[in-house]
Amino acid sequence: MDNLRSLPKFRDGLSYLYLEHCRIDQCDKSVSFHDKDGETPVPAASVAVLMLGPGTSITQAAIRALADNNTLVIWCGEENVRFYAWGTGGTRSARAILEQARLASDDQLRLQVVHRMYRMRFDERLDADMDIQQLRGKEGMRVRAAYRRASAESGVPWSGRNYDRGSWSAADPVNRALSAANSCLYGLCHAAILSSGFSPALGFIHTGKQLSFVYDIADLYKAEITIPVAFQAAKDGPADIERRVRLACRDLFRETQLLKRIIPDIFAALGLRELADEEDPYAEDAAKPADLWDPTGGDGEGLSDRLI
Amino acid sequence: MVVLIVERAKPGLRGELSRWMIEPRAGVFVGRISALVRDCLWEKVCREVGDGGAIMIYGAQTEQGFAIQTFGETRREIVDYEGLFLVRRRLDG
């Protein structure tokens, strides 16, 4: 794939495909997976996230095809509840990550982003002069209320968010459902972040981990999506709960038009304008060297030609 | 829009389908019909296609934008992957 513009937009795609116990390879120019029943081609160019669970193996040719098609590949644990590694998203311009780095490294600018992120989670207007502790307190109350409301609506008792990472199956069903739903949401937010050229590590509210920014963005949607989904799934008992949660997530992702919303929400939270396709100078040619930095204000155009 | 594909169907059934839909290729029917008519035609196809096969695809409020129904034995089967319809080619034997 030479030109990124011919790829489907992230918002038009399918949210995720979770596979386990199969072999994924390239077959007649499509990406297919093989299991004991047969061979199934995957519409790779329109899937945002391909989640590979236990027992999967994948060939180099398949990874190349997926990377060409801008499909994020993540390797995860059983039922998608542990996250091991990820592949690459497809953007060539560094403009987004440079803006993100600028906002994250200046305390005043960073605080503005944090404010905007908290405000986006509330329907009602908040006072502009609320400090960060007040916003955090208000958000904590809102999350606890969301748990209480979901518990009341589903009739599933709630004794707090807890699970033992060493002993996964010992957690109560609703906590397991929450973890499964959240990791689905993280995968999608992660794909959106990479797809639009931001860094998952440069968080604003969260800090210090490779996925800090993923947690920031996913938090925008938890009260609306993953909390109600998890309680509804737990209502129907513990059997097969992770799979049922993923299924319910797909439905709610579609109903809430999440794929259409994530990238504009990221730009809104950062106070940035989305680049139109024709504004990405590197979309046409993967091999074109980038411009050179010039502190005196020149754009370095033409200099890169000398390096070829 | 509804796309209906029948395999090894009798001419009578195909003739009846072409009252409602056009048949641009043998056994392939395309049309815009109501959900009620669609379901009636599908029931009819399942009843009368005998040992043939049939597949129907129509626009629906799903993530893919369509839904699929199949009837009869074919080498390709539609598999529902947590709400995503994919096509599996079964291994021989």
Side-chain angles (χ1 to χ4, degrees), chain A residues 256-275:
Chain A
T256 56
Q257 302 206 310
L258 188 62
L259 260 70
K260 285 193 178 67
R261 289 161 55 194
I262 298 180
I263 291 179
D265 282 351
I266 295 172
F267 279 91
L270 300 185
L272 300 176
R273 183 179 63 86
E274 273 186 80
L275 276 192

Side-chain angles (χ1 to χ4, degrees), chain B residues 40-93:
Chain B
C40 289
L41 286 179
W42 180 247
E43 274 176 37
K44 186 173 186 57
V45 167
C46 294
R47 241 185 355 256
E48 297 182 16
V49 80
D51 54 2
I55 180 166
M56 182 169 71
I57 302 163
Y58 54 93
Q61 289 291 320
T62 66
E63 200 177 58
Q64 283 168 304
F66 56 80
I68 303 183
Q69 280 173 312
T70 57
F71 180 82
E73 284 291 307
T74 48
R75 239 188 112 230
R76 286 172 186 238
E77 56 185 350
I78 307 295
V79 199
D80 182 347
Y81 270 85
E82 299 177 348
L84 213 58
F85 288 113
L86 298 180
V87 178
R88 177 156 68 203
R89 291 196 284 266
R90 280 187 295 179
L91 297 170
D92 284 319

Side-chain angles (χ1 to χ4, degrees), chain A residues 87-134:
Chain A
T88 180
T91 187
R92 293 186 187 131
S93 166
R95 179 235 182 209
I97 197 172
L98 290 172
E99 292 280 4
Q100 187 187 7
R102 183 176 65 84
L103 296 170
S105 31
D106 179 300
D107 281 350
Q108 276 310 311
L109 294 175
R110 180 171 181 159
L111 196 62
Q112 289 172 13
V113 174
V114 171
H115 262 261
R116 273 196 294 267
M117 283 180 164
Y118 277 124
R119 279 161 194 290
M120 285 167 75
R121 300 192 210 170
F122 290 94
D123 296 332
E124 80 262 39
R125 287 188 67 84
L126 298 174
D127 288 338
D129 57 357
M130 273 181 113
D131 67 24
I132 201 88
Q133 278 77 19
Q134 285 172 308

Side-chain angles (χ1 to χ4, degrees), chain A residues 94-281:
Chain A
R95 179 235 182 209
I97 197 172
L98 290 172
E99 292 280 4
Q100 187 187 7
R102 183 176 65 84
L103 296 170
S105 31
D106 179 300
D107 281 350
Q108 276 310 311
L109 294 175
R110 180 171 181 159
L111 196 62
Q112 289 172 13
V113 174
V114 171
H115 262 261
R116 273 196 294 267
M117 283 180 164
Y118 277 124
R119 279 161 194 290
M120 285 167 75
R121 300 192 210 170
F122 290 94
D123 296 332
E124 80 262 39
R125 287 188 67 84
L126 298 174
D127 288 338
D129 57 357
M130 273 181 113
D131 67 24
I132 201 88
Q133 278 77 19
Q134 285 172 308
L135 279 171
R136 238 170 232 168
K138 216 167 157 55
E139 170 61 11
M141 276 166 55
R142 188 186 77 121
V143 172
R144 282 192 295 278
Y147 282 129
R148 266 201 313 277
R149 192 170 54 243
S151 171
E153 280 171 8
S154 61
V156 174
W158 175 244
S159 55
R161 183 84 174 108
N162 60 68
Y163 53 88
D164 178 0
R165 280 188 295 178
S167 162
W168 168 245
S169 52
D172 61 14
V174 68
N175 267 294
R176 277 165 54 198
L178 272 167
S179 299
N182 283 340
S183 70
C184 235
L185 180 64
Y186 291 147
L188 209 54
C189 292
H190 195 161
I193 287 166
L194 293 180
S195 165
S196 48
F198 292 101
S199 157
L202 290 176
F204 291 84
I205 294 173
H206 294 85
T207 193
K209 292 190 82 169
Q210 275 295 320
L211 298 183
S212 293
F213 194 49
V214 176
Y215 302 141
D216 279 0
I217 298 303
D219 276 357
L220 299 176
Y221 310 110
K222 282 184 183 171
E224 178 188 356
I225 295 178
T226 55
I227 294 174
V229 157
F231 276 85
Q232 280 305 317
K235 185 182 173 184
D236 299 328
D240 210 16
I241 195 162
E242 288 88 355
R243 197 186 70 86
R244 285 191 286 112
V245 162
R246 281 201 306 273
L247 227 140
C249 277
R250 182 189 299 290
D251 288 344
L252 205 56
F253 289 164
R254 176 179 54 77
E255 280 166 31
T256 56
Q257 302 206 310
L258 188 62
L259 260 70
K260 285 193 178 67
R261 289 161 55 194
I262 298 180
I263 291 179
D265 282 351
I266 295 172
F267 279 91
L270 300 185
L272 300 176
R273 183 179 63 86
E274 273 186 80
L275 276 192
D277 283 345
E278 55 274 14
E279 292 176 272
D280 178 357

